[in-house]
Amino acid sequence: MQDHWSFLSGDEVYQRLWETDTVMYAGDLLQRKLPEKESKILVEMESEILAPIRHKEKCYGMISLGRLINDEEYIVDDLEFVKIVGEIAGSVFERVSELEEKTEETSHLKEVIEINESVLKTARDFASVRKLDEAYDLLSENLKKKLGVKQFSFLILDSEKQSDYVVFVS
């Protein structure tokens, strides 16, 4: 069953954790006639206490605690501690999510800058061309290097007749 342990955002356990800002007793949830899948997961995890991992309005998951090693009951300090741990974990998850988003954004911007620099370099290279053969060579070189194409063709309007296309094949 462990391979299939998951709570979806529409599941009752998830909804209850999302709605609360404190810890919950798993036994209280189990008494509410949860769907079989959710009950089975809580029972198999031997959950006693559930605490949301959240930051502001986002719920990233939950902490499930089983029985204490000494078989004693959880005290208020234990519950407060796990609540704070859930809040800290939620804060960390939020920060990591933001960092990943910024890293992805930065990576995308670097790609855009590299493409723009490449376009500008190509434009400068073409500006210095004075012969048609040089232009074909430069165009071929750019298609091969920048785009990585193996085969391509040019259909160029014949400069003398202005009505026929001359085909250049790589």
PDB file of all heavy atoms in Angstrom, residues 32-45:
ATOM      1  N   ARG A  32     -14.757  10.281  11.642  1.00  0.00           N
ATOM      2  CA  ARG A  32     -15.649  11.069  10.772  1.00  0.00           C
ATOM      3  C   ARG A  32     -16.055  10.320   9.511  1.00  0.00           C
ATOM      4  O   ARG A  32     -16.522  10.920   8.561  1.00  0.00           O
ATOM      5  CB  ARG A  32     -14.965  12.378  10.362  1.00  0.00           C
ATOM      6  CG  ARG A  32     -14.572  13.211  11.536  1.00  0.00           C
ATOM      7  CD  ARG A  32     -13.885  14.480  11.052  1.00  0.00           C
ATOM      8  NE  ARG A  32     -14.652  15.590  11.564  1.00  0.00           N
ATOM      9  CZ  ARG A  32     -15.313  16.472  10.832  1.00  0.00           C
ATOM     10  NH1 ARG A  32     -15.267  16.419   9.550  1.00  0.00           N
ATOM     11  NH2 ARG A  32     -15.994  17.433  11.387  1.00  0.00           N
ATOM     12  N   LYS A  33     -15.841   9.047   9.438  1.00  0.00           N
ATOM     13  CA  LYS A  33     -16.180   8.254   8.253  1.00  0.00           C
ATOM     14  C   LYS A  33     -15.465   8.785   7.011  1.00  0.00           C
ATOM     15  O   LYS A  33     -16.091   9.220   6.043  1.00  0.00           O
ATOM     16  CB  LYS A  33     -17.681   8.215   8.016  1.00  0.00           C
ATOM     17  CG  LYS A  33     -18.411   7.422   9.069  1.00  0.00           C
ATOM     18  CD  LYS A  33     -19.756   7.023   8.559  1.00  0.00           C
ATOM     19  CE  LYS A  33     -20.395   6.135   9.620  1.00  0.00           C
ATOM     20  NZ  LYS A  33     -21.316   5.213   9.073  1.00  0.00           N
ATOM     21  N   LEU A  34     -14.157   8.747   7.072  1.00  0.00           N
ATOM     22  CA  LEU A  34     -13.347   9.133   5.920  1.00  0.00           C
ATOM     23  C   LEU A  34     -13.528   8.120   4.803  1.00  0.00           C
ATOM     24  O   LEU A  34     -13.880   6.964   5.055  1.00  0.00           O
ATOM     25  CB  LEU A  34     -11.860   9.151   6.297  1.00  0.00           C
ATOM     26  CG  LEU A  34     -11.373  10.234   7.237  1.00  0.00           C
ATOM     27  CD1 LEU A  34      -9.918   9.974   7.604  1.00  0.00           C
ATOM     28  CD2 LEU A  34     -11.504  11.597   6.593  1.00  0.00           C
ATOM     29  N   PRO A  35     -13.229   8.509   3.571  1.00  0.00           N
ATOM     30  CA  PRO A  35     -13.203   7.517   2.491  1.00  0.00           C
ATOM     31  C   PRO A  35     -12.205   6.411   2.839  1.00  0.00           C
ATOM     32  O   PRO A  35     -11.210   6.642   3.531  1.00  0.00           O
ATOM     33  CB  PRO A  35     -12.734   8.319   1.277  1.00  0.00           C
ATOM     34  CG  PRO A  35     -13.141   9.729   1.578  1.00  0.00           C
ATOM     35  CD  PRO A  35     -13.011   9.870   3.071  1.00  0.00           C
ATOM     36  N   GLU A  36     -12.483   5.210   2.371  1.00  0.00           N
ATOM     37  CA  GLU A  36     -11.690   4.032   2.742  1.00  0.00           C
ATOM     38  C   GLU A  36     -10.199   4.216   2.489  1.00  0.00           C
ATOM     39  O   GLU A  36      -9.372   3.866   3.330  1.00  0.00           O
ATOM     40  CB  GLU A  36     -12.197   2.804   1.983  1.00  0.00           C
ATOM     41  CG  GLU A  36     -11.483   1.529   2.384  1.00  0.00           C
ATOM     42  CD  GLU A  36     -11.969   0.321   1.595  1.00  0.00           C
ATOM     43  OE1 GLU A  36     -13.046   0.394   0.978  1.00  0.00           O
ATOM     44  OE2 GLU A  36     -11.247  -0.685   1.607  1.00  0.00           O
ATOM     45  N   LYS A  37      -9.863   4.778   1.338  1.00  0.00           N
ATOM     46  CA  LYS A  37      -8.446   4.963   0.993  1.00  0.00           C
ATOM     47  C   LYS A  37      -7.737   5.834   2.025  1.00  0.00           C
ATOM     48  O   LYS A  37      -6.646   5.499   2.503  1.00  0.00           O
ATOM     49  CB  LYS A  37      -8.323   5.596  -0.389  1.00  0.00           C
ATOM     50  CG  LYS A  37      -6.885   5.877  -0.819  1.00  0.00           C
ATOM     51  CD  LYS A  37      -6.825   6.779  -2.036  1.00  0.00           C
ATOM     52  CE  LYS A  37      -6.394   8.132  -1.579  1.00  0.00           C
ATOM     53  NZ  LYS A  37      -6.138   9.134  -2.515  1.00  0.00           N
ATOM     54  N   GLU A  38      -8.360   6.929   2.420  1.00  0.00           N
ATOM     55  CA  GLU A  38      -7.752   7.849   3.375  1.00  0.00           C
ATOM     56  C   GLU A  38      -7.633   7.208   4.757  1.00  0.00           C
ATOM     57  O   GLU A  38      -6.605   7.331   5.419  1.00  0.00           O
ATOM     58  CB  GLU A  38      -8.555   9.144   3.446  1.00  0.00           C
ATOM     59  CG  GLU A  38      -8.539   9.919   2.145  1.00  0.00           C
ATOM     60  CD  GLU A  38      -9.381  11.166   2.199  1.00  0.00           C
ATOM     61  OE1 GLU A  38      -9.168  12.002   3.106  1.00  0.00           O
ATOM     62  OE2 GLU A  38     -10.267  11.321   1.334  1.00  0.00           O
ATOM     63  N   SER A  39      -8.684   6.503   5.177  1.00  0.00           N
ATOM     64  CA  SER A  39      -8.648   5.810   6.472  1.00  0.00           C
ATOM     65  C   SER A  39      -7.543   4.770   6.485  1.00  0.00           C
ATOM     66  O   SER A  39      -6.792   4.658   7.465  1.00  0.00           O
ATOM     67  CB  SER A  39      -9.980   5.122   6.755  1.00  0.00           C
ATOM     68  OG  SER A  39     -11.000   6.055   6.902  1.00  0.00           O
ATOM     69  N   LYS A  40      -7.444   4.026   5.401  1.00  0.00           N
ATOM     70  CA  LYS A  40      -6.444   2.961   5.306  1.00  0.00           C
ATOM     71  C   LYS A  40      -5.029   3.529   5.424  1.00  0.00           C
ATOM     72  O   LYS A  40      -4.173   2.969   6.110  1.00  0.00           O
ATOM     73  CB  LYS A  40      -6.630   2.200   3.999  1.00  0.00           C
ATOM     74  CG  LYS A  40      -5.889   0.907   3.932  1.00  0.00           C
ATOM     75  CD  LYS A  40      -6.311   0.123   2.701  1.00  0.00           C
ATOM     76  CE  LYS A  40      -5.651  -1.234   2.706  1.00  0.00           C
ATOM     77  NZ  LYS A  40      -6.035  -2.050   1.576  1.00  0.00           N
ATOM     78  N   ILE A  41      -4.789   4.637   4.758  1.00  0.00           N
ATOM     79  CA  ILE A  41      -3.461   5.258   4.827  1.00  0.00           C
ATOM     80  C   ILE A  41      -3.141   5.677   6.255  1.00  0.00           C
ATOM     81  O   ILE A  41      -2.057   5.382   6.774  1.00  0.00           O
ATOM     82  CB  ILE A  41      -3.375   6.481   3.878  1.00  0.00           C
ATOM     83  CG1 ILE A  41      -3.432   6.027   2.419  1.00  0.00           C
ATOM     84  CG2 ILE A  41      -2.096   7.272   4.136  1.00  0.00           C
ATOM     85  CD1 ILE A  41      -3.585   7.165   1.419  1.00  0.00           C
ATOM     86  N   LEU A  42      -4.079   6.363   6.914  1.00  0.00           N
ATOM     87  CA  LEU A  42      -3.831   6.817   8.289  1.00  0.00           C
ATOM     88  C   LEU A  42      -3.601   5.648   9.236  1.00  0.00           C
ATOM     89  O   LEU A  42      -2.717   5.703  10.101  1.00  0.00           O
ATOM     90  CB  LEU A  42      -4.993   7.687   8.782  1.00  0.00           C
ATOM     91  CG  LEU A  42      -5.159   9.039   8.095  1.00  0.00           C
ATOM     92  CD1 LEU A  42      -6.390   9.757   8.644  1.00  0.00           C
ATOM     93  CD2 LEU A  42      -3.915   9.896   8.249  1.00  0.00           C
ATOM     94  N   VAL A  43      -4.368   4.575   9.046  1.00  0.00           N
ATOM     95  CA  VAL A  43      -4.217   3.395   9.912  1.00  0.00           C
ATOM     96  C   VAL A  43      -2.867   2.731   9.658  1.00  0.00           C
ATOM     97  O   VAL A  43      -2.138   2.389  10.598  1.00  0.00           O
ATOM     98  CB  VAL A  43      -5.382   2.401   9.690  1.00  0.00           C
ATOM     99  CG1 VAL A  43      -5.099   1.064  10.352  1.00  0.00           C
ATOM    100  CG2 VAL A  43      -6.680   2.992  10.225  1.00  0.00           C
ATOM    101  N   GLU A  44      -2.497   2.548   8.390  1.00  0.00           N
ATOM    102  CA  GLU A  44      -1.232   1.887   8.065  1.00  0.00           C
ATOM    103  C   GLU A  44      -0.025   2.728   8.484  1.00  0.00           C
ATOM    104  O   GLU A  44       1.030   2.175   8.807  1.00  0.00           O
ATOM    105  CB  GLU A  44      -1.162   1.547   6.578  1.00  0.00           C
ATOM    106  CG  GLU A  44      -2.087   0.394   6.226  1.00  0.00           C
ATOM    107  CD  GLU A  44      -1.879  -0.116   4.818  1.00  0.00           C
ATOM    108  OE1 GLU A  44      -0.783   0.072   4.249  1.00  0.00           O
ATOM    109  OE2 GLU A  44      -2.824  -0.712   4.278  1.00  0.00           O
ATOM    110  N   MET A  45      -0.172   4.049   8.493  1.00  0.00           N
ATOM    111  CA  MET A  45       0.926   4.908   8.964  1.00  0.00           C
ATOM    112  C   MET A  45       0.955   4.951  10.491  1.00  0.00           C
ATOM    113  O   MET A  45       1.878   5.514  11.065  1.00  0.00           O
ATOM    114  CB  MET A  45       0.763   6.348   8.431  1.00  0.00           C
ATOM    115  CG  MET A  45       1.065   6.497   6.983  1.00  0.00           C
ATOM    116  SD  MET A  45       1.198   8.227   6.413  1.00  0.00           S
ATOM    117  CE  MET A  45      -0.142   9.085   7.172  1.00  0.00           C
TER     118      MET A  45
END
